[in-house]
Amino acid sequence: MAKIAIVGAGQAGLHLGIGLLMSGHRVTMLSNRTGEQIAAGPVTSSQSMYGMALGLERELGIDYWQESSPQYAGAQMRVADSDGNIMLYWQGAMDEPGQSIDQRVKMPVWMDRFVELGGDLRIVDAGIAELEGVAASHDLVVIASGKGEIGSLFQRNPDRSPLTSPQRVLALTYVNRFRPRPGIPAICININPGNGEFVSFPGLTLSGPCEIFTIESIPGGPMDIWADVKTPDEHLAASEHLLRTFFPHEAERIDGHLELTDDKAVLRGRITPTTKYPVATLPSGAKIFGLADVVCLNDPLTGQGSNNASKAAKIYLDAINAHGDAAFDEAWMNAVFEQYWDYARFPVAYTNQTLGQPPEHMLRILKAAETDKELAHIMANSFNDPKSIAPWYYDAASAEQFLSERTVPLQ
Ligand SMILES: Cc1cc2nc3c(=O)[nH]c(=O)nc-3n(C[C@H](O)[C@H](O)[C@H](O)COP(=O)(O)OP(=O)(O)OC[C@H]3O[C@@H](n4cnc5c(N)ncnc54)[C@H](O)[C@@H]3O)c2cc1C
């Protein structure tokens, strides 16, 4: 059995670490925060997760919140202007429900589970010296540090990174006093063309069930009012203002005024979607292997990152288990990442295509889903698996063929 070090106790690192321990490997994990510090810190994500990824957690017995978390078994997309004029609307059922567990709730529990299984958890902000240390004493070093600074050790792959700057200003807010949508609970994607998006779904936070908002503002546009926002109250007021001004249909769900679930329930930032080469070299010449966000970072608009992290961890886990006693060399690392990329290129394309000026064929598909209920069902399930709608969602000629073969019921 191998001796493996993982840097980063997040969605990917802990999933992999727990899986490796359960397979009999020896695992060291370096985390720059204790479980208590994570629980007491700010929110980090909206972390909407779907059937496939949740199933991988279930396989490891770490889906502890199946009963206690709100679930949503639908997706809704509305494109409308600030006056509420609707240009496009569809809703569809997901075959398996999604859920969102605040990472401040989830990661401390997973860290405890990691230690309970015999994992060696070390609290340290890993830099080059710590990486050299674990590289010398372990068979494999996996970096799962998310957006952390050590990610700069890995080089951007320009062929897989079509975007070179942030496409949105992100604002994450966990709230109470937002009424459930009519009908089944669903992930609600609202697009105000040229301005930005508002995405919401129910989640489980420190205080219990809540509603989680991600507001995505086009940089420099009318929704980009975040520069002067400093305090949680200002953030909440800005969120409510944007909702009322740009997404009047969703604003109808506000029950009086929105309330934050806690004073750390806000986050603002920008992400440049980037895919990197998966192997980096330390000054000693030792190779380290990147996992999830550190080497494949997406804008959260389509809610793929945590799902990708879980799916990547599963691929790495299976590859390590299948490896036997051979060395974990650079060729092996590249081959395992290619296996992941064979899937990840779809969520990357899914997200980037939604961030940019949508191609004509994509608009036609989404429009068709208004009347074609089975297509709406397929699109609702695409959050779970963006590969399932290849090639037609990603390619104009295939889309033409796909749409021509569908029988859309007459209105
Ligand atoms: C606003 C927002 C909304 C999002 N919404 C969704 C969504 O709805 N659905 C979805 O699937 N994804 C979503 N994501 C993305 C998702 O949160 C990430 O893709 C996912 O958490 C990545 O997991 P990870 O394990 O790679 O990294 P992380 O979760 O970032 O974990 C990395 C860990 O490593 C630690 N670390 C960093 N550097 C070091 C170091 N030097 N030494 C030791 N430890 C270190 C960090 O503190 C952290 O604990 C969202 C992201 C954002 C920003």
PDB file of all heavy atoms in Angstrom, residues 7-13 30-33 44-48 103 124-126 144-148 150 172 201 292-293 300 303-307 309, ligand 1:
ATOM      1  N   VAL A   7      -2.404  17.886   0.030  1.00  0.00           N
ATOM      2  CA  VAL A   7      -2.415  19.254   0.561  1.00  0.00           C
ATOM      3  C   VAL A   7      -3.779  19.859   0.269  1.00  0.00           C
ATOM      4  O   VAL A   7      -4.164  19.990  -0.896  1.00  0.00           O
ATOM      5  CB  VAL A   7      -1.301  20.111  -0.080  1.00  0.00           C
ATOM      6  CG1 VAL A   7      -1.354  21.534   0.462  1.00  0.00           C
ATOM      7  CG2 VAL A   7       0.062  19.478   0.175  1.00  0.00           C
ATOM      8  N   GLY A   8      -4.513  20.218   1.331  1.00  0.00           N
ATOM      9  CA  GLY A   8      -5.822  20.845   1.157  1.00  0.00           C
ATOM     10  C   GLY A   8      -6.944  19.944   1.622  1.00  0.00           C
ATOM     11  O   GLY A   8      -7.192  18.884   1.037  1.00  0.00           O
ATOM     12  N   ALA A   9      -7.614  20.364   2.702  1.00  0.00           N
ATOM     13  CA  ALA A   9      -8.722  19.580   3.262  1.00  0.00           C
ATOM     14  C   ALA A   9     -10.040  20.172   2.785  1.00  0.00           C
ATOM     15  O   ALA A   9     -10.840  20.678   3.575  1.00  0.00           O
ATOM     16  CB  ALA A   9      -8.634  19.573   4.782  1.00  0.00           C
ATOM     17  N   GLY A  10     -10.255  20.116   1.483  1.00  0.00           N
ATOM     18  CA  GLY A  10     -11.506  20.604   0.912  1.00  0.00           C
ATOM     19  C   GLY A  10     -12.287  19.449   0.301  1.00  0.00           C
ATOM     20  O   GLY A  10     -12.040  18.271   0.603  1.00  0.00           O
ATOM     21  N   GLN A  11     -13.219  19.804  -0.577  1.00  0.00           N
ATOM     22  CA  GLN A  11     -14.083  18.800  -1.210  1.00  0.00           C
ATOM     23  C   GLN A  11     -13.272  17.685  -1.860  1.00  0.00           C
ATOM     24  O   GLN A  11     -13.545  16.504  -1.671  1.00  0.00           O
ATOM     25  CB  GLN A  11     -14.979  19.486  -2.252  1.00  0.00           C
ATOM     26  CG  GLN A  11     -15.848  18.576  -3.058  1.00  0.00           C
ATOM     27  CD  GLN A  11     -16.977  17.938  -2.252  1.00  0.00           C
ATOM     28  OE1 GLN A  11     -17.550  18.567  -1.374  1.00  0.00           O
ATOM     29  NE2 GLN A  11     -17.293  16.681  -2.527  1.00  0.00           N
ATOM     30  N   ALA A  12     -12.224  18.065  -2.614  1.00  0.00           N
ATOM     31  CA  ALA A  12     -11.459  17.052  -3.348  1.00  0.00           C
ATOM     32  C   ALA A  12     -10.484  16.306  -2.439  1.00  0.00           C
ATOM     33  O   ALA A  12     -10.426  15.068  -2.451  1.00  0.00           O
ATOM     34  CB  ALA A  12     -10.699  17.719  -4.498  1.00  0.00           C
ATOM     35  N   GLY A  13      -9.702  17.064  -1.653  1.00  0.00           N
ATOM     36  CA  GLY A  13      -8.665  16.449  -0.824  1.00  0.00           C
ATOM     37  C   GLY A  13      -9.237  15.483   0.192  1.00  0.00           C
ATOM     38  O   GLY A  13      -8.721  14.361   0.378  1.00  0.00           O
ATOM     39  N   LEU A  30      -2.233  17.851   4.751  1.00  0.00           N
ATOM     40  CA  LEU A  30      -1.820  19.168   5.237  1.00  0.00           C
ATOM     41  C   LEU A  30      -2.957  20.145   4.984  1.00  0.00           C
ATOM     42  O   LEU A  30      -3.400  20.311   3.841  1.00  0.00           O
ATOM     43  CB  LEU A  30      -0.562  19.646   4.502  1.00  0.00           C
ATOM     44  CG  LEU A  30       0.623  18.672   4.398  1.00  0.00           C
ATOM     45  CD1 LEU A  30       1.834  19.375   3.785  1.00  0.00           C
ATOM     46  CD2 LEU A  30       0.988  18.078   5.751  1.00  0.00           C
ATOM     47  N   SER A  31      -3.430  20.751   6.048  1.00  0.00           N
ATOM     48  CA  SER A  31      -4.514  21.734   5.922  1.00  0.00           C
ATOM     49  C   SER A  31      -4.096  23.025   6.589  1.00  0.00           C
ATOM     50  O   SER A  31      -3.556  23.002   7.702  1.00  0.00           O
ATOM     51  CB  SER A  31      -5.789  21.203   6.593  1.00  0.00           C
ATOM     52  OG  SER A  31      -6.759  22.233   6.656  1.00  0.00           O
ATOM     53  N   ASN A  32      -4.361  24.151   5.933  1.00  0.00           N
ATOM     54  CA  ASN A  32      -3.979  25.426   6.559  1.00  0.00           C
ATOM     55  C   ASN A  32      -5.006  25.907   7.573  1.00  0.00           C
ATOM     56  O   ASN A  32      -4.819  26.961   8.178  1.00  0.00           O
ATOM     57  CB  ASN A  32      -3.678  26.501   5.499  1.00  0.00           C
ATOM     58  CG  ASN A  32      -4.841  26.752   4.570  1.00  0.00           C
ATOM     59  OD1 ASN A  32      -5.923  26.191   4.748  1.00  0.00           O
ATOM     60  ND2 ASN A  32      -4.625  27.580   3.563  1.00  0.00           N
ATOM     61  N   ARG A  33      -6.085  25.126   7.742  1.00  0.00           N
ATOM     62  CA  ARG A  33      -7.070  25.504   8.759  1.00  0.00           C
ATOM     63  C   ARG A  33      -7.561  24.265   9.501  1.00  0.00           C
ATOM     64  O   ARG A  33      -7.697  23.188   8.902  1.00  0.00           O
ATOM     65  CB  ARG A  33      -8.272  26.197   8.102  1.00  0.00           C
ATOM     66  CG  ARG A  33      -7.915  27.555   7.506  1.00  0.00           C
ATOM     67  CD  ARG A  33      -9.113  28.213   6.851  1.00  0.00           C
ATOM     68  NE  ARG A  33      -9.653  27.404   5.762  1.00  0.00           N
ATOM     69  CZ  ARG A  33     -10.876  27.532   5.258  1.00  0.00           C
ATOM     70  NH1 ARG A  33     -11.699  28.429   5.763  1.00  0.00           N
ATOM     71  NH2 ARG A  33     -11.282  26.773   4.266  1.00  0.00           N
ATOM     72  N   THR A  44     -17.606  29.678   1.749  1.00  0.00           N
ATOM     73  CA  THR A  44     -16.592  29.523   0.709  1.00  0.00           C
ATOM     74  C   THR A  44     -17.190  29.203  -0.655  1.00  0.00           C
ATOM     75  O   THR A  44     -16.491  29.289  -1.664  1.00  0.00           O
ATOM     76  CB  THR A  44     -15.617  28.391   1.105  1.00  0.00           C
ATOM     77  OG1 THR A  44     -16.391  27.275   1.572  1.00  0.00           O
ATOM     78  CG2 THR A  44     -14.671  28.837   2.211  1.00  0.00           C
ATOM     79  N   SER A  45     -18.455  28.810  -0.678  1.00  0.00           N
ATOM     80  CA  SER A  45     -19.019  28.288  -1.925  1.00  0.00           C
ATOM     81  C   SER A  45     -20.532  28.210  -1.789  1.00  0.00           C
ATOM     82  O   SER A  45     -21.067  28.299  -0.675  1.00  0.00           O
ATOM     83  CB  SER A  45     -18.449  26.878  -2.146  1.00  0.00           C
ATOM     84  OG  SER A  45     -19.019  26.276  -3.286  1.00  0.00           O
ATOM     85  N   SER A  46     -21.216  28.004  -2.915  1.00  0.00           N
ATOM     86  CA  SER A  46     -22.643  27.650  -2.807  1.00  0.00           C
ATOM     87  C   SER A  46     -22.817  26.134  -2.964  1.00  0.00           C
ATOM     88  O   SER A  46     -23.856  25.594  -2.651  1.00  0.00           O
ATOM     89  CB  SER A  46     -23.484  28.422  -3.819  1.00  0.00           C
ATOM     90  OG  SER A  46     -23.102  28.137  -5.137  1.00  0.00           O
ATOM     91  N   GLN A  47     -21.763  25.467  -3.496  1.00  0.00           N
ATOM     92  CA  GLN A  47     -21.596  24.005  -3.487  1.00  0.00           C
ATOM     93  C   GLN A  47     -22.862  23.182  -3.773  1.00  0.00           C
ATOM     94  O   GLN A  47     -23.151  22.190  -3.106  1.00  0.00           O
ATOM     95  CB  GLN A  47     -20.933  23.545  -2.177  1.00  0.00           C
ATOM     96  CG  GLN A  47     -21.723  23.620  -0.871  1.00  0.00           C
ATOM     97  CD  GLN A  47     -21.638  24.925  -0.142  1.00  0.00           C
ATOM     98  OE1 GLN A  47     -20.561  25.429   0.072  1.00  0.00           O
ATOM     99  NE2 GLN A  47     -22.767  25.454   0.248  1.00  0.00           N
ATOM    100  N   SER A  48     -23.601  23.572  -4.797  1.00  0.00           N
ATOM    101  CA  SER A  48     -24.734  22.761  -5.218  1.00  0.00           C
ATOM    102  C   SER A  48     -24.206  21.468  -5.844  1.00  0.00           C
ATOM    103  O   SER A  48     -23.390  21.515  -6.765  1.00  0.00           O
ATOM    104  CB  SER A  48     -25.538  23.550  -6.258  1.00  0.00           C
ATOM    105  OG  SER A  48     -26.557  22.765  -6.791  1.00  0.00           O
ATOM    106  N   GLN A 103     -19.855  24.289   3.226  1.00  0.00           N
ATOM    107  CA  GLN A 103     -18.563  23.628   3.459  1.00  0.00           C
ATOM    108  C   GLN A 103     -18.079  23.839   4.897  1.00  0.00           C
ATOM    109  O   GLN A 103     -17.267  23.074   5.396  1.00  0.00           O
ATOM    110  CB  GLN A 103     -17.528  24.140   2.447  1.00  0.00           C
ATOM    111  CG  GLN A 103     -17.883  23.695   1.010  1.00  0.00           C
ATOM    112  CD  GLN A 103     -16.835  24.082  -0.022  1.00  0.00           C
ATOM    113  OE1 GLN A 103     -16.070  25.028   0.170  1.00  0.00           O
ATOM    114  NE2 GLN A 103     -16.810  23.383  -1.149  1.00  0.00           N
ATOM    115  N   VAL A 124      -0.942  23.081   8.814  1.00  0.00           N
ATOM    116  CA  VAL A 124       0.188  23.887   8.364  1.00  0.00           C
ATOM    117  C   VAL A 124      -0.176  24.531   7.028  1.00  0.00           C
ATOM    118  O   VAL A 124      -0.868  23.919   6.206  1.00  0.00           O
ATOM    119  CB  VAL A 124       1.459  23.009   8.224  1.00  0.00           C
ATOM    120  CG1 VAL A 124       1.248  21.845   7.263  1.00  0.00           C
ATOM    121  CG2 VAL A 124       2.662  23.814   7.772  1.00  0.00           C
ATOM    122  N   ASP A 125       0.252  25.758   6.846  1.00  0.00           N
ATOM    123  CA  ASP A 125       0.064  26.412   5.558  1.00  0.00           C
ATOM    124  C   ASP A 125       1.237  25.980   4.675  1.00  0.00           C
ATOM    125  O   ASP A 125       2.338  26.536   4.778  1.00  0.00           O
ATOM    126  CB  ASP A 125       0.035  27.933   5.749  1.00  0.00           C
ATOM    127  CG  ASP A 125      -0.424  28.653   4.498  1.00  0.00           C
ATOM    128  OD1 ASP A 125      -1.077  28.021   3.647  1.00  0.00           O
ATOM    129  OD2 ASP A 125      -0.125  29.849   4.364  1.00  0.00           O
ATOM    130  N   ALA A 126       1.003  24.976   3.865  1.00  0.00           N
ATOM    131  CA  ALA A 126       2.115  24.336   3.145  1.00  0.00           C
ATOM    132  C   ALA A 126       2.734  25.263   2.116  1.00  0.00           C
ATOM    133  O   ALA A 126       2.043  25.832   1.276  1.00  0.00           O
ATOM    134  CB  ALA A 126       1.604  23.062   2.474  1.00  0.00           C
ATOM    135  N   ALA A 144      -4.379  19.601  -3.527  1.00  0.00           N
ATOM    136  CA  ALA A 144      -5.816  19.886  -3.659  1.00  0.00           C
ATOM    137  C   ALA A 144      -6.117  21.163  -2.894  1.00  0.00           C
ATOM    138  O   ALA A 144      -7.008  21.212  -2.057  1.00  0.00           O
ATOM    139  CB  ALA A 144      -6.632  18.708  -3.123  1.00  0.00           C
ATOM    140  N   SER A 145      -5.359  22.191  -3.211  1.00  0.00           N
ATOM    141  CA  SER A 145      -5.412  23.439  -2.429  1.00  0.00           C
ATOM    142  C   SER A 145      -6.409  24.445  -2.993  1.00  0.00           C
ATOM    143  O   SER A 145      -6.378  25.612  -2.604  1.00  0.00           O
ATOM    144  CB  SER A 145      -4.016  24.062  -2.386  1.00  0.00           C
ATOM    145  OG  SER A 145      -3.559  24.272  -3.711  1.00  0.00           O
ATOM    146  N   GLY A 146      -7.261  24.019  -3.918  1.00  0.00           N
ATOM    147  CA  GLY A 146      -8.264  24.935  -4.459  1.00  0.00           C
ATOM    148  C   GLY A 146      -7.620  26.155  -5.087  1.00  0.00           C
ATOM    149  O   GLY A 146      -6.692  26.041  -5.888  1.00  0.00           O
ATOM    150  N   LYS A 147      -8.106  27.335  -4.674  1.00  0.00           N
ATOM    151  CA  LYS A 147      -7.574  28.574  -5.250  1.00  0.00           C
ATOM    152  C   LYS A 147      -6.388  29.104  -4.449  1.00  0.00           C
ATOM    153  O   LYS A 147      -5.965  30.244  -4.633  1.00  0.00           O
ATOM    154  CB  LYS A 147      -8.693  29.623  -5.317  1.00  0.00           C
ATOM    155  CG  LYS A 147      -9.847  29.188  -6.234  1.00  0.00           C
ATOM    156  CD  LYS A 147     -10.924  30.243  -6.376  1.00  0.00           C
ATOM    157  CE  LYS A 147     -11.775  30.415  -5.141  1.00  0.00           C
ATOM    158  NZ  LYS A 147     -12.515  29.201  -4.739  1.00  0.00           N
ATOM    159  N   GLY A 148      -5.854  28.293  -3.538  1.00  0.00           N
ATOM    160  CA  GLY A 148      -4.742  28.735  -2.681  1.00  0.00           C
ATOM    161  C   GLY A 148      -3.502  29.111  -3.490  1.00  0.00           C
ATOM    162  O   GLY A 148      -3.329  28.702  -4.639  1.00  0.00           O
ATOM    163  N   ILE A 150      -0.416  28.220  -3.476  1.00  0.00           N
ATOM    164  CA  ILE A 150       0.539  27.245  -4.013  1.00  0.00           C
ATOM    165  C   ILE A 150       0.113  26.737  -5.396  1.00  0.00           C
ATOM    166  O   ILE A 150       0.895  26.097  -6.089  1.00  0.00           O
ATOM    167  CB  ILE A 150       0.807  26.052  -3.069  1.00  0.00           C
ATOM    168  CG1 ILE A 150      -0.479  25.331  -2.686  1.00  0.00           C
ATOM    169  CG2 ILE A 150       1.592  26.462  -1.852  1.00  0.00           C
ATOM    170  CD1 ILE A 150      -0.211  24.004  -1.992  1.00  0.00           C
ATOM    171  N   LEU A 172     -21.689  35.904  -3.195  1.00  0.00           N
ATOM    172  CA  LEU A 172     -22.356  34.749  -2.574  1.00  0.00           C
ATOM    173  C   LEU A 172     -23.019  35.213  -1.279  1.00  0.00           C
ATOM    174  O   LEU A 172     -22.392  35.921  -0.492  1.00  0.00           O
ATOM    175  CB  LEU A 172     -21.275  33.699  -2.282  1.00  0.00           C
ATOM    176  CG  LEU A 172     -21.673  32.436  -1.531  1.00  0.00           C
ATOM    177  CD1 LEU A 172     -22.618  31.587  -2.375  1.00  0.00           C
ATOM    178  CD2 LEU A 172     -20.418  31.628  -1.196  1.00  0.00           C
ATOM    179  N   PHE A 201     -30.813  28.323  -4.668  1.00  0.00           N
ATOM    180  CA  PHE A 201     -31.340  26.998  -4.317  1.00  0.00           C
ATOM    181  C   PHE A 201     -31.298  26.869  -2.805  1.00  0.00           C
ATOM    182  O   PHE A 201     -30.574  27.610  -2.126  1.00  0.00           O
ATOM    183  CB  PHE A 201     -30.540  25.867  -4.983  1.00  0.00           C
ATOM    184  CG  PHE A 201     -29.052  26.098  -5.014  1.00  0.00           C
ATOM    185  CD1 PHE A 201     -28.268  25.821  -3.929  1.00  0.00           C
ATOM    186  CD2 PHE A 201     -28.447  26.612  -6.154  1.00  0.00           C
ATOM    187  CE1 PHE A 201     -26.901  26.044  -3.956  1.00  0.00           C
ATOM    188  CE2 PHE A 201     -27.076  26.843  -6.195  1.00  0.00           C
ATOM    189  CZ  PHE A 201     -26.297  26.554  -5.088  1.00  0.00           C
ATOM    190  N   ALA A 292      -8.397  18.734  -8.936  1.00  0.00           N
ATOM    191  CA  ALA A 292      -9.593  19.597  -8.861  1.00  0.00           C
ATOM    192  C   ALA A 292      -9.274  21.072  -9.124  1.00  0.00           C
ATOM    193  O   ALA A 292      -8.521  21.387 -10.035  1.00  0.00           O
ATOM    194  CB  ALA A 292     -10.342  19.369  -7.554  1.00  0.00           C
ATOM    195  N   ASP A 293      -9.813  22.001  -8.302  1.00  0.00           N
ATOM    196  CA  ASP A 293      -9.747  23.432  -8.635  1.00  0.00           C
ATOM    197  C   ASP A 293      -8.332  23.934  -8.903  1.00  0.00           C
ATOM    198  O   ASP A 293      -8.151  24.852  -9.699  1.00  0.00           O
ATOM    199  CB  ASP A 293     -10.327  24.267  -7.482  1.00  0.00           C
ATOM    200  CG  ASP A 293     -11.809  24.560  -7.668  1.00  0.00           C
ATOM    201  OD1 ASP A 293     -12.449  23.866  -8.475  1.00  0.00           O
ATOM    202  OD2 ASP A 293     -12.328  25.470  -6.984  1.00  0.00           O
ATOM    203  N   PRO A 300     -18.381  29.710 -11.031  1.00  0.00           N
ATOM    204  CA  PRO A 300     -19.462  28.907 -10.427  1.00  0.00           C
ATOM    205  C   PRO A 300     -20.823  29.024 -11.101  1.00  0.00           C
ATOM    206  O   PRO A 300     -21.779  28.398 -10.630  1.00  0.00           O
ATOM    207  CB  PRO A 300     -19.518  29.428  -8.983  1.00  0.00           C
ATOM    208  CG  PRO A 300     -18.884  30.749  -9.005  1.00  0.00           C
ATOM    209  CD  PRO A 300     -17.897  30.761 -10.129  1.00  0.00           C
ATOM    210  N   GLY A 303     -22.505  25.822 -11.455  1.00  0.00           N
ATOM    211  CA  GLY A 303     -22.452  24.940 -10.281  1.00  0.00           C
ATOM    212  C   GLY A 303     -21.764  23.621 -10.546  1.00  0.00           C
ATOM    213  O   GLY A 303     -22.305  22.547 -10.251  1.00  0.00           O
ATOM    214  N   GLN A 304     -20.547  23.668 -11.070  1.00  0.00           N
ATOM    215  CA  GLN A 304     -19.866  22.413 -11.416  1.00  0.00           C
ATOM    216  C   GLN A 304     -18.669  22.077 -10.520  1.00  0.00           C
ATOM    217  O   GLN A 304     -18.272  20.920 -10.418  1.00  0.00           O
ATOM    218  CB  GLN A 304     -19.405  22.476 -12.876  1.00  0.00           C
ATOM    219  CG  GLN A 304     -20.547  22.521 -13.869  1.00  0.00           C
ATOM    220  CD  GLN A 304     -21.419  21.287 -13.802  1.00  0.00           C
ATOM    221  OE1 GLN A 304     -20.937  20.173 -13.855  1.00  0.00           O
ATOM    222  NE2 GLN A 304     -22.723  21.483 -13.651  1.00  0.00           N
ATOM    223  N   GLY A 305     -18.032  23.065  -9.861  1.00  0.00           N
ATOM    224  CA  GLY A 305     -16.736  22.851  -9.224  1.00  0.00           C
ATOM    225  C   GLY A 305     -16.696  21.757  -8.158  1.00  0.00           C
ATOM    226  O   GLY A 305     -15.787  20.922  -8.154  1.00  0.00           O
ATOM    227  N   SER A 306     -17.645  21.751  -7.238  1.00  0.00           N
ATOM    228  CA  SER A 306     -17.643  20.723  -6.184  1.00  0.00           C
ATOM    229  C   SER A 306     -17.938  19.355  -6.777  1.00  0.00           C
ATOM    230  O   SER A 306     -17.382  18.338  -6.342  1.00  0.00           O
ATOM    231  CB  SER A 306     -18.694  21.040  -5.116  1.00  0.00           C
ATOM    232  OG  SER A 306     -18.362  22.220  -4.450  1.00  0.00           O
ATOM    233  N   ASN A 307     -18.825  19.352  -7.765  1.00  0.00           N
ATOM    234  CA  ASN A 307     -19.133  18.092  -8.458  1.00  0.00           C
ATOM    235  C   ASN A 307     -17.886  17.568  -9.158  1.00  0.00           C
ATOM    236  O   ASN A 307     -17.551  16.383  -9.068  1.00  0.00           O
ATOM    237  CB  ASN A 307     -20.259  18.322  -9.471  1.00  0.00           C
ATOM    238  CG  ASN A 307     -21.562  18.681  -8.805  1.00  0.00           C
ATOM    239  OD1 ASN A 307     -22.313  17.813  -8.403  1.00  0.00           O
ATOM    240  ND2 ASN A 307     -21.840  19.968  -8.647  1.00  0.00           N
ATOM    241  N   ALA A 309     -14.835  18.254  -8.350  1.00  0.00           N
ATOM    242  CA  ALA A 309     -13.860  17.861  -7.321  1.00  0.00           C
ATOM    243  C   ALA A 309     -14.122  16.430  -6.871  1.00  0.00           C
ATOM    244  O   ALA A 309     -13.192  15.618  -6.723  1.00  0.00           O
ATOM    245  CB  ALA A 309     -13.943  18.829  -6.141  1.00  0.00           C
TER     246      ALA A 309
HETATM  247  C1  LIG B   1     -19.126  31.790  -5.064  1.00  0.00           C
HETATM  248  C2  LIG B   1     -18.909  30.327  -5.396  1.00  0.00           C
HETATM  249  C3  LIG B   1     -20.004  29.499  -5.608  1.00  0.00           C
HETATM  250  C4  LIG B   1     -19.805  28.166  -5.955  1.00  0.00           C
HETATM  251  N1  LIG B   1     -20.900  27.372  -6.168  1.00  0.00           N
HETATM  252  C5  LIG B   1     -20.738  26.084  -6.536  1.00  0.00           C
HETATM  253  C6  LIG B   1     -21.873  25.247  -6.764  1.00  0.00           C
HETATM  254  O1  LIG B   1     -23.025  25.654  -6.610  1.00  0.00           O
HETATM  255  N2  LIG B   1     -21.642  23.951  -7.131  1.00  0.00           N
HETATM  256  C7  LIG B   1     -20.384  23.465  -7.288  1.00  0.00           C
HETATM  257  O2  LIG B   1     -20.246  22.272  -7.611  1.00  0.00           O
HETATM  258  N3  LIG B   1     -19.305  24.218  -7.060  1.00  0.00           N
HETATM  259  C8  LIG B   1     -19.444  25.514  -6.686  1.00  0.00           C
HETATM  260  N4  LIG B   1     -18.352  26.293  -6.450  1.00  0.00           N
HETATM  261  C9  LIG B   1     -17.015  25.720  -6.654  1.00  0.00           C
HETATM  262  C10 LIG B   1     -16.594  24.810  -5.521  1.00  0.00           C
HETATM  263  O3  LIG B   1     -16.725  25.447  -4.272  1.00  0.00           O
HETATM  264  C11 LIG B   1     -15.139  24.408  -5.714  1.00  0.00           C
HETATM  265  O4  LIG B   1     -14.949  23.985  -7.035  1.00  0.00           O
HETATM  266  C12 LIG B   1     -14.732  23.282  -4.785  1.00  0.00           C
HETATM  267  O5  LIG B   1     -14.853  23.677  -3.436  1.00  0.00           O
HETATM  268  C13 LIG B   1     -13.282  22.901  -5.089  1.00  0.00           C
HETATM  269  O6  LIG B   1     -12.823  21.938  -4.180  1.00  0.00           O
HETATM  270  P1  LIG B   1     -11.270  21.773  -3.909  1.00  0.00           P
HETATM  271  O7  LIG B   1     -11.159  20.667  -2.938  1.00  0.00           O
HETATM  272  O8  LIG B   1     -10.546  21.688  -5.199  1.00  0.00           O
HETATM  273  O9  LIG B   1     -10.808  23.137  -3.268  1.00  0.00           O
HETATM  274  P2  LIG B   1     -11.310  23.874  -1.964  1.00  0.00           P
HETATM  275  O10 LIG B   1     -12.697  23.499  -1.623  1.00  0.00           O
HETATM  276  O11 LIG B   1     -10.998  25.319  -2.188  1.00  0.00           O
HETATM  277  O12 LIG B   1     -10.360  23.316  -0.817  1.00  0.00           O
HETATM  278  C14 LIG B   1      -8.997  23.627  -0.755  1.00  0.00           C
HETATM  279  C15 LIG B   1      -8.545  23.572   0.694  1.00  0.00           C
HETATM  280  O13 LIG B   1      -7.117  23.703   0.720  1.00  0.00           O
HETATM  281  C16 LIG B   1      -6.759  24.608   1.735  1.00  0.00           C
HETATM  282  N5  LIG B   1      -5.454  25.159   1.366  1.00  0.00           N
HETATM  283  C17 LIG B   1      -5.189  26.079   0.413  1.00  0.00           C
HETATM  284  N6  LIG B   1      -3.859  26.322   0.347  1.00  0.00           N
HETATM  285  C18 LIG B   1      -3.286  25.533   1.285  1.00  0.00           C
HETATM  286  C19 LIG B   1      -1.937  25.357   1.704  1.00  0.00           C
HETATM  287  N7  LIG B   1      -0.930  26.046   1.156  1.00  0.00           N
HETATM  288  N8  LIG B   1      -1.679  24.465   2.691  1.00  0.00           N
HETATM  289  C20 LIG B   1      -2.682  23.759   3.267  1.00  0.00           C
HETATM  290  N9  LIG B   1      -3.972  23.911   2.919  1.00  0.00           N
HETATM  291  C21 LIG B   1      -4.275  24.780   1.930  1.00  0.00           C
HETATM  292  C22 LIG B   1      -7.900  25.621   1.732  1.00  0.00           C
HETATM  293  O14 LIG B   1      -7.985  26.351   2.935  1.00  0.00           O
HETATM  294  C23 LIG B   1      -9.098  24.701   1.543  1.00  0.00           C
HETATM  295  O15 LIG B   1      -9.548  24.192   2.776  1.00  0.00           O
HETATM  296  C24 LIG B   1     -18.509  27.643  -6.083  1.00  0.00           C
HETATM  297  C25 LIG B   1     -17.395  28.468  -5.851  1.00  0.00           C
HETATM  298  C26 LIG B   1     -17.593  29.799  -5.507  1.00  0.00           C
HETATM  299  C27 LIG B   1     -16.392  30.671  -5.277  1.00  0.00           C
END
